[in-house]
Amino acid sequence: MDKLTKIFESIAVISGETELEPVLVELAQLGKDLAGADRCTVWLHDEVSHENWTLVAQGIEPIRIPADSGFVGVSIQQGESLRIDDAYKDDRFNRSIDEKTGYRTYSILTVPFQNAQGIYFGAFQAINKLPVGTAFSKEDQQLIQLAATYAGKAIEARLLHNELLKTQQEMIEIMGQIGESRSKETSNHVRRVALYSYELAKLAGIPKKQRDMLRMASPMHDIGKVATPDAILLKPGRLNDEEYQVMKEHAAIGYEVFRHSKRDLLQTAAIIAHQHHERWDGKGYPNQLKGEQIHIFGRITAIADVFDALGSARVYKKPWSDEEILLYFQQQAGFQFDPQLTDLFLRHFDRFNEIRTSYSDV
Ligand code: C2E
Ligand code: SIN
Ligand code: SIN
Ligand code: SIN
Ligand code: FE
Ligand code: FE
């Protein structure tokens, strides 16, 4: 009964998670409880690097071992469960992890799991049946095999989900780059704007889900520039009034591109494209919105976009120095930009500069 309760509790936790990491951590906990083990790790096979890897804890770099090494390697390659009473008496055991951690492994139970195509791509590994010195039973093995059937499906679903998210993110960045620099070699501008926006949103206390949405949508803020004639977009000098009027249409055009979509992400992109040139004092474009009439995402992206534009070379300008940029934001707080957001931005200027350095254009 106790074990059934644990299974149901775990399933409830896992079904509420879309990310891979917490699912791996929860499955490891489940494996440990079901087998009565001192520890349990969930290993995944990485085809690209020919390694197996496991997450010891969330947010920590995974441990990696060669794909053919240890019981884990044998188990995933052969698709076989292994139940070993004393690991040190078996030369398939990979002692390197024990040697690094100072932990002493005695009994081991390794159970592989497969994807929908029947390919083994990971394994549960329960270590040291409690109390230490005892061995895993046939029944322990059956319970872990049960969990493995479920784990294979749960993990595969998250891997596919991650793959879709990564594809979506890349498509967004590519679209953003088309808008931003039809002109030149690809730049990291849209990626940086996404990361500054995310960081500023975090400082402003915006919840993770919305921050993620902002990060994904903000690279598309200038998509409307696809409609700007080259003669204007690529003009090596200052624009005259007439040209600037045409240029400014990119905000409304970007809005038109996305506004009919029912997807949250594209609705967010519509708002950002529309409002990223509005000004806190109401003198921006296209709608002269003022203060909090401007969506918080518009106010955030405005700061991110201008920070990046000022620090970068453009066909029409040289990059500004940090001092000039800082001075500009100090002066424009409450005029061009939301004063509270500007204050957060200036107080954490180093973080934004770090992102700029890490993603500089080469
Ligand atoms: P962008 O180059 O990505 O610049 C985005 C925003 O950063 C600008 O929005 C402006 O708020 C700020 N910014 C960039 N450079 C400067 C600068 O030297 N001084 C100041 N004070 N702010 C700057 P804005 O002005 O609405 O311009 C929108 C877009 O229009 C720009 O995107 C750029 O593609 C184009 N653009 C603006 N002015 C010129 C120009 O004189 N020549 C050319 N060729 N394009 C221009
Ligand atoms: C990793 O190999 O560390 C992560 C791979 C993945 O998330 O698929
Ligand atoms: C092995 O699979 O041989 C060792 C892995 C471990 O100790 O965690
Ligand atoms: C604007 O976004 O309204 C123009 C900003 C500027 O060039 O000072
Ligand atoms: Fe713009
Ligand atoms: Fe931009």
Side-chain angles (χ1 to χ4, degrees):
M1 273 317 285
D2 211 28
K3 287 185 174 166
L4 260 186
T5 309
K6 292 227 163 82
I7 292 175
F8 285 124
E9 278 170 3
S10 275
I11 289 178
V13 171
I14 290 168
S15 53
E17 277 295 344
T18 52
E19 309 260 338
L20 180 63
E21 286 202 2
V23 167
L24 293 177
V25 171
E26 182 61 32
L27 284 170
Q29 183 62 43
L30 176 65
K32 180 172 128 113
D33 292 341
L34 288 182
D38 184 40
R39 314 180 155 187
C40 180
T41 40
V42 175
W43 292 84
L44 289 184
H45 178 62
D46 181 338
E47 275 181 5
V48 178
S49 67
H50 301 291
E51 287 169 318
N52 293 323
W53 62 278
T54 186
L55 209 62
V56 180
Q58 280 191 68
I60 293 182
E61 282 293 299
I63 294 178
R64 294 175 164 274
I65 56 175
D68 56 5
S69 137
F71 297 125
V72 169
V74 173
S75 180
I76 296 176
Q77 279 179 346
Q78 321 271 337
E80 271 170 34
S81 298
L82 301 172
R83 194 150 53 86
I84 311 293
D85 293 346
D86 188 349
Y88 281 61
K89 290 198 182 133
D90 193 314
D91 56 16
R92 293 174 297 183
F93 181 61
N94 173 357
R95 293 192 190 196
S96 68
I97 295 176
D98 271 13
E99 277 156 13
K100 258 180 248 161
T101 58
Y103 186 81
R104 171 65 159 92
T105 299
Y106 296 93
S107 51
I108 279 202
L109 175 59
T110 305
V111 177
F113 47 79
Q114 50 197 156
N115 65 15
Q117 281 78 46
I119 295 167
Y120 288 95
F121 74 106
F124 273 98
Q125 185 163 57
I127 298 179
N128 286 352
K129 174 76 179 177
L130 294 176
V132 175
T134 59
F136 291 106
S137 66
K138 195 102 202 159
E139 190 198 314
D140 296 330
Q141 182 173 338
Q142 279 163 354
L143 277 171
I144 297 296
Q145 268 159 354
L146 187 72
T149 314
Y150 172 63
K153 291 198 173 69
I155 293 171
E156 191 181 25
R158 271 50 173 208
L159 287 173
L160 292 174
H161 176 80
N162 284 354
E163 196 55 37
L164 271 177
L165 282 184
K166 279 183 204 154
T167 306
Q168 175 179 295
Q169 186 63 38
E170 267 182 45
M171 295 300 294
I172 286 172
E173 284 181 3
I174 290 167
M175 281 178 74
Q177 275 170 1
I178 292 170
E180 196 69 51
S181 62
R182 204 161 66 225
S183 48
K184 300 185 289 183
E185 71 289 352
T186 49
S187 95
N188 276 326
H189 171 65
V190 296
R191 186 168 302 161
R192 287 192 300 264
V193 169
L195 294 171
Y196 305 144
S197 299
Y198 183 86
E199 197 60 36
L200 190 50
K202 195 161 153 187
L203 292 169
I206 292 177
K208 172 91 165 62
K209 272 220 159 64
Q210 278 175 274
R211 258 162 31 215
D212 284 335
M213 194 77 95
L214 171 64
R215 177 174 52 77
M216 290 192 279
S218 59
M220 295 187 274
H221 65 274
D222 272 338
I223 197 78
K225 284 184 185 172
V226 291
T228 311
D230 279 355
I232 295 175
L233 189 63
L234 308 183
K235 180 177 173 177
R238 307 278 345 159
L239 301 178
N240 64 33
D241 282 355
E242 208 177 312
E243 291 164 334
Y244 193 44
Q245 288 311 315
V246 174
M247 186 71 230
K248 290 203 286 195
E249 289 170 10
H250 80 278
I253 294 169
Y255 175 60
E256 280 303 318
V257 169
F258 295 120
R259 79 186 179 94
H260 298 290
S261 171
K262 290 192 172 63
R263 301 259 160 264
D264 280 353
L265 179 62
L266 298 186
Q267 277 299 317
T268 305
I271 294 169
I272 294 170
H274 206 192
Q275 301 190 358
H276 74 281
H277 287 294
E278 297 289 358
R279 294 174 49 116
W280 184 257
D281 61 12
K283 295 180 182 164
Y285 62 89
N287 286 328
Q288 290 77 48
L289 300 181
K290 204 173 175 172
E292 291 183 357
Q293 287 177 331
I294 309 164
H295 193 287
I296 180 93
F297 288 174
R299 283 178 270 147
I300 288 173
T301 307
I303 292 175
D305 184 38
V306 173
F307 171 57
D308 205 65
L310 294 180
S312 307
R314 290 280 195 263
V315 280
Y316 63 93
K317 59 173 274 289
K318 287 200 164 62
W320 291 19
S321 69
D322 286 1
E323 293 69 31
E324 290 170 312
I325 295 174
L326 278 168
L327 186 64
Y328 184 77
F329 276 94
Q330 281 156 6
Q331 288 169 343
Q332 291 295 335
F335 296 96
Q336 188 171 353
F337 306 117
D338 177 332
Q340 280 181 330
L341 289 174
T342 311
D343 184 54
L344 288 171
F345 172 74
L346 288 170
R347 275 197 281 142
H348 298 91
F349 192 71
D350 289 350
R351 280 199 216 179
F352 295 92
N353 246 345
E354 255 168 50
I355 297 171
R356 182 148 67 114
T357 313
S358 317
Y359 292 86
S360 64
D361 301 318
V362 277

